[in-house]
Amino acid sequence: MQELLQSLAPWLSDNAIFTPSTLAQYWGGFVNTVQLVFISLVIGLFLAVPLAIGRASPSRLLSKSIWVYTWIFRGTPLLIQLYIAYYGLAFIPGIQESVVWPLIRDPLYPALLAFTLNTAAYTTEIFYGAIKATPRGELEAARAYGMSPLLAYRRIILPSALRRALPAYGNEVIFMLHASAIASVVTIADLTGVAYNIYSRYYAPFSAFIFVALCYMVLSFAIQGVFRLLEKRMLAHLKPR
């Protein structure tokens, strides 16, 4: 990255906004945004699969408990959840003397907590809908082969449901990318936070924020391309021949 900025230095020397220094800040914001979104999505995905299975279970207590969690996180703004994680956790009695206080005082970890719980709630409902949409014929075939419920989930229901959930989950990934722009309100130097700092310094809102908007667009189109390839590969059997 440093070599690239040095090679661009002569071209950037007459530009007050896009200098090697500001581009390095943008690059840092880009990395922070990708890391924040990627980690929260990965953890949220691993949480969502067992939660979706529990949501579809015949146990009303388990199913309703998971429904309450998803209802709360889908029914409240992500910004409020971020504020509660960042400002609220610090006021829990004894938290400042605990071993987790160094993590809580770092804005990255409360943001990861809020983003992970939010995306896990949405992803749980996406997978739950895909599980409930499993064709009856597939379930009857699993029973005919003598599969146990656990084996049927592992070999039939989950692989089939994950394929059906792919388009909706792709939208959730893009949504989380766009929603990550609020991370700057808790002092995380993501793309939006860097753009605001540069705007505050140079008073050039169009240059600062339009450039960041283009960065988000590039990331969004890249995600769309990846999910298109996945859908083309995993849903090929649904295309008419």
Side-chain angles (χ1 to χ4, degrees), residues 54 57-66:
S57 73
S59 170
R60 289 183 59 83
L61 177 62
L62 179 59
S63 179
K64 289 299 181 182
S65 299
I66 296 173

Side-chain angles (χ1 to χ4, degrees), residues 120-143:
Y122 278 93
T123 307
T124 296
E125 289 298 321
I126 290 172
F127 288 167
Y128 165 69
I131 289 172
K132 297 298 286 185
T134 303
R136 184 176 296 274
E138 294 183 6
L139 300 177
E140 292 175 351
R143 293 193 194 100

Side-chain angles (χ1 to χ4, degrees), residues 18-35:
F18 300 109
T19 64
S21 174
T22 57
L23 286 181
Q25 293 179 54
Y26 277 122
W27 175 251
F30 180 90
V31 172
N32 289 338
T33 295
V34 171
Q35 287 179 341

Side-chain angles (χ1 to χ4, degrees), residues 91-173:
F91 289 92
I92 296 177
I95 196 71
Q96 297 187 21
E97 290 78 29
S98 68
V99 295
V100 299
W101 175 241
L103 298 179
I104 292 176
R105 64 187 296 184
D106 185 339
L108 174 64
Y109 295 100
L112 272 176
L113 176 64
F115 286 7
T116 298
L117 293 177
N118 184 274
T119 189
Y122 278 93
T123 307
T124 296
E125 289 298 321
I126 290 172
F127 288 167
Y128 165 69
I131 289 172
K132 297 298 286 185
T134 303
R136 184 176 296 274
E138 294 183 6
L139 300 177
E140 292 175 351
R143 293 193 194 100
Y145 274 97
M147 292 185 183
S148 66
L150 181 61
L151 187 60
Y153 255 104
R154 187 165 63 88
R155 292 190 176 180
I156 304 295
I157 300 174
L158 277 183
S160 176
L162 292 176
R163 286 195 295 268
R164 282 191 300 276
L166 199 57
Y169 184 66
N171 291 334
E172 167 62 13
V173 172

Side-chain angles (χ1 to χ4, degrees), residues 157-234:
I157 300 174
L158 277 183
S160 176
L162 292 176
R163 286 195 295 268
R164 282 191 300 276
L166 199 57
Y169 184 66
N171 291 334
E172 167 62 13
V173 172
I174 294 175
F175 167 79
M176 280 305 301
L177 171 65
H178 295 166
S180 70
I182 66 172
S184 59
V185 302
V186 292
T187 70
I188 293 179
D190 66 337
L191 276 170
T192 304
V194 169
Y196 184 81
N197 292 337
I198 292 174
Y199 151 69
S200 301
R201 180 177 180 182
Y202 295 102
Y203 299 101
F206 288 106
S207 300
F209 289 112
I210 289 177
F211 179 73
V212 164
L214 292 175
C215 292
Y216 281 113
M217 287 179 64
V218 169
L219 284 171
S220 297
F221 284 126
I223 292 170
Q224 288 178 13
V226 169
F227 274 90
R228 248 190 227 107
L229 290 175
L230 288 174
E231 290 172 23
K232 186 176 180 181
R233 181 180 181 84
M234 299 180 69

Side-chain angles (χ1 to χ4, degrees), residues 45-56:
L45 179 62
F46 278 100
L47 291 175
V49 173
L51 287 173
I53 295 173
R55 178 86 169 83

